[in-house]
Amino acid sequence: MLKIYRSIAFSGLIFLYSCSSVYMPNVPNTPMLSSKGEFSGGAHISLKGNGNFNGAYALSNHFGVLLSGAYMKSEKTSKDFEHKLIEAGAGYFDAFGPDNNRIIEVYAGIGSGNTLRTYRNYENDVLLSTELQKVEYSKTFLQVNYSSKKKSNFHLFGNNYPLNYGTALRISHVGMDVFLINGTAQAKEDNIFLEPIFFTRMRLSDAVQLQYTSSGNFGLKNRKYMTAGNSIFSIGAVINVGGVKKKQ
């Protein structure tokens, strides 16, 4: 009877694991481009250990290109999780306002990624079963950023650090190309995710800023594996070289 209860408990645990998302969103690319020749680059790390890089370049005064990527590998006794993601996009930006310190950006792009998840069940330190999930997926996205480079000051240890803020809304369609459990093909899933994003930047120099990013993640479809189970809370650094010079 005890073994039956353990089997039921294990089945419930696997169900909960299976309901967590195989998709880990990356930190959105919010470069705040303002003029031709400007470059923006960033590196971020989330509370879960998801590492991200972002890069953007202004090809003209209103057209920019993006490149982003993410990688995470977590190994634990009962669960391993590894994912890779890369995406590229292009779009329109415009700086406006009295000092050109407000920026609107609209980008669209594509991406691809993969996820490996391993679940293990132990009894008295003896491995009873293993489930390996492998997912490869494609992604398309549309993103609108609104940012203000109007500064407020943060006082720390007698120094003033200018702050600026921004928000973005990203809509992503993510669809599985491959879905295997222990090598056996499964029914593929897709979902449409809405991600409202908020970020705060603290300027350390004319080119370098620290950034804190937070977001929500909402799935428009009811799915078992491709769900909206992960949001973003990250810290990182951003550099902007070139662009419209702001008045101090």
Side-chain angles (χ1 to χ4, degrees), residues 6-22 78-79 117-121 129 131 133 179 181 189 222-227 229:
R6 284 175 176 168
S7 297
I8 294 173
F10 174 65
S11 298
L13 186 61
I14 289 296
F15 175 78
L16 290 175
Y17 282 154
S18 298
C19 287
S20 62
S21 182
V22 296
S78 59
K79 178 184 177 180
R117 298 197 303 184
T118 304
Y119 296 111
R120 305 179 189 89
N121 177 46
S129 61
E131 178 173 306
Q133 300 175 2
F179 183 25
I181 296 181
E189 295 182 353
N222 184 18
R223 295 291 187 255
K224 184 177 181 180
Y225 296 93
M226 188 65 74
T227 65

Side-chain angles (χ1 to χ4, degrees), residues 23-31 50 52-54 66-70 83 85-89 105-111 137 139-146 167-174 191-199 213-220 230-234:
Y23 172 64
M24 176 74 71
N26 59 316
V27 175
N29 203 332
T30 53
N50 185 22
N52 296 257
F53 74 86
N54 292 327
L66 309 176
L67 179 66
S68 302
H83 97 109
L85 170 66
I86 190 166
E87 62 184 31
E105 300 176 305
V106 181
Y107 298 107
I110 59 175
Y137 58 84
K139 174 182 180 180
T140 57
F141 68 91
L142 176 66
Q143 182 175 320
V144 179
N145 307 334
Y146 172 76
T167 184
L169 177 62
R170 182 167 62 179
I171 304 174
S172 301
H173 176 262
V174 182
N191 213 330
I192 298 173
F193 298 104
L194 298 181
E195 295 174 71
I197 299 111
F198 306 93
F199 61 90
T213 307
S214 62
S215 80
N217 190 10
F218 305 94
L220 301 187
N230 297 302
S231 55
I232 297 171
F233 297 94
S234 70

